[in-house]
Amino acid sequence: MNEDAFWALIDELSRRTEDLEEKTEWLRRELLRRPAAESVEFQVRLDDACEVAGTRALWRAADRIESGSCSDDGFHYFTLWLVGQGRKVYESVVADPDALADVPGIRALVGRHRSEWDDDEWPEWEELDYVAQDAYDELTGQEDDHGEEFDDAVDERAEELADELQGDFEGEWEEGGERRGSRPEGVAIPRLTALFPLAATGS
């Protein structure tokens, strides 16, 4: 499963109309139709996408939406949710966190206290992080090993991909560890700030 195949699967997932639990189950069934190695590849690609999205600028945006209550775990679940919105949304928001103001799932929360949000409305998707392991364990009969074989396979494949891609980013990184053209961490989020004023949405 290369990057394009990963995003094709995610895009199909994002178009489904079911709730998050049903979407997760659809993805699990889809992975069960494939070799176990595909579940490993899926997790590697998912981990990488979440890592890329894990910027301070995006955390500030998520924290604003959640009225200052976005924890470290909550932010990870937020990045999983963001991946699950599909490639176009993901890439636009990673490039400019204020683009979250255009995402329908975020706009549906505007003007409502977070205590009024239904479970499926929260921009978090923790279960997406476990579905590949569940499929892998079922395919390999490793349900009783607490995911150890799966984790080892993911780590090994991630290292292989890192070696394969080592030269792909030469020249893209500038002094100080910033990607050329990347937005500064302190970038403003004016539209989200307007949509989610702390006085109106805070506890």
Side-chain angles (χ1 to χ4, degrees):
M1 181 183 294
N2 61 22
E3 185 176 11
D4 287 339
F6 167 79
W7 282 112
L9 184 56
I10 290 292
D11 285 344
E12 173 63 24
L13 179 66
S14 71
R15 288 191 290 268
R16 305 194 69 82
T17 58
E18 301 95 333
D19 60 28
L20 290 184
E21 182 177 349
E22 291 172 329
K23 284 186 174 185
T24 303
E25 178 58 23
W26 176 87
L27 177 59
R28 189 187 71 86
R29 292 196 305 268
E30 184 63 27
L31 290 174
L32 284 173
R33 296 174 52 241
R34 306 175 181 217
E38 292 279 286
S39 293
V40 173
E41 292 276 354
F42 179 90
Q43 189 66 46
V44 171
R45 303 290 177 179
L46 179 62
D47 290 346
D48 182 64
C50 288
E51 182 177 355
V52 170
T55 64
R56 185 167 303 182
L58 190 53
W59 178 85
R60 287 180 60 243
D63 196 51
R64 167 63 70 161
I65 292 166
E66 297 186 11
S67 308
S69 67
C70 187
S71 65
D72 289 346
D73 285 345
F75 181 53
H76 178 58
Y77 305 151
F78 179 89
T79 61
L80 289 163
W81 172 87
L82 178 61
V83 172
Q85 303 310 296
R87 189 172 197 170
K88 182 177 180 180
V89 171
Y90 169 87
E91 290 181 345
S92 68
V93 169
V94 167
D96 176 12
D98 209 30
L100 283 163
D102 298 322
V103 178
I106 297 300
R107 296 196 67 86
L109 305 175
V110 174
R112 300 163 54 203
H113 190 277
R114 65 178 185 274
S115 65
E116 301 172 353
W117 301 353
D118 292 337
D119 288 345
D120 274 352
E121 289 185 300
W122 278 83
E124 298 180 356
W125 196 349
E126 178 181 2
E127 293 77 11
L128 185 59
D129 213 13
Y130 310 131
V131 63
Q133 179 186 324
D134 289 345
Y136 180 91
D137 288 349
E138 185 169 340
L139 287 166
T140 60
Q142 298 295 326
E143 289 95 338
D144 297 328
D145 79 339
H146 305 291
E148 292 180 8
E149 181 176 310
F150 177 74
D151 289 342
D152 289 345
V154 169
D155 289 344
E156 181 179 350
R157 183 57 183 144
E159 290 179 5
E160 291 174 354
L161 282 175
D163 290 340
E164 292 172 11
L165 299 175
Q166 185 173 8
D168 287 1
F169 300 109
E170 288 182 2
E172 288 194 12
W173 295 92
E174 302 210 340
E175 202 172 321
E178 293 288 342
R179 261 188 193 175
R180 183 179 300 129
S182 64
R183 298 178 65 87
E185 292 289 344
V187 65
I189 46 172
R191 291 191 294 158
L192 286 177
T193 299
L195 290 174
F196 296 93
L198 291 180
T201 59
S203 56

